[in-house]
Amino acid sequence: MKSITLHLVVAGATYFNQLDRFQGWSGTPLTATGEQATAKVAQQLASTTFDTAFASDTSRAIQTARIILDSRAQPVKLRTVVALRAPFYGGFEGTERAAV
């Protein structure tokens, strides 16, 4: 039986995180801090071999995955999966958390 090792990485900090806003499915890019934190994760995973990488289809998840995967010597296929999305907050997306 073949074993599977799973590495879970949460998307780096985004502008909605910085502004304390509900994010959910919203497409918000990583901040410079989020990119730097993701680059550190990439360094920590540098010696780890991946067959495939999975990410939600949100821009922040794809951006996070690309930073990690683009730093690798060997290409790794990235598969986006809708089921990996964060919860959907509907009309609350983009609103301040404190306002709710």
Side-chain angles (χ1 to χ4, degrees):
M1 176 186 229
K2 184 178 177 181
S3 66
I4 294 174
T5 303
L6 184 64
H7 299 274
L8 300 175
V9 177
V10 175
T14 68
Y15 287 98
F16 273 11
N17 296 137
Q18 193 174 15
L19 297 170
D20 198 30
R21 296 182 181 270
F22 284 99
Q23 191 157 245
W25 294 2
S26 297
T28 54
L30 300 182
T31 60
T33 301
E35 289 177 353
Q36 290 168 0
T38 302
K40 285 182 184 178
V41 171
Q43 289 175 345
Q44 292 168 341
L45 294 173
S47 64
T48 304
T49 302
F50 296 109
D51 294 323
T52 306
F54 298 89
S56 82
D57 62 345
T58 60
S59 59
R60 67 185 178 273
I62 294 169
Q63 187 180 5
T64 298
R66 287 272 50 111
I67 291 169
I68 294 168
L69 298 178
D70 287 350
S71 69
R72 309 184 72 72
Q74 297 294 323
V76 177
K77 180 176 178 148
L78 175 60
R79 301 178 91 180
T80 57
V81 181
V82 173
L84 294 176
R85 282 183 188 171
F88 180 58
Y89 296 114
F92 289 110
E93 292 210 6
T95 62
E96 292 183 47
R97 292 177 184 250
V100 177

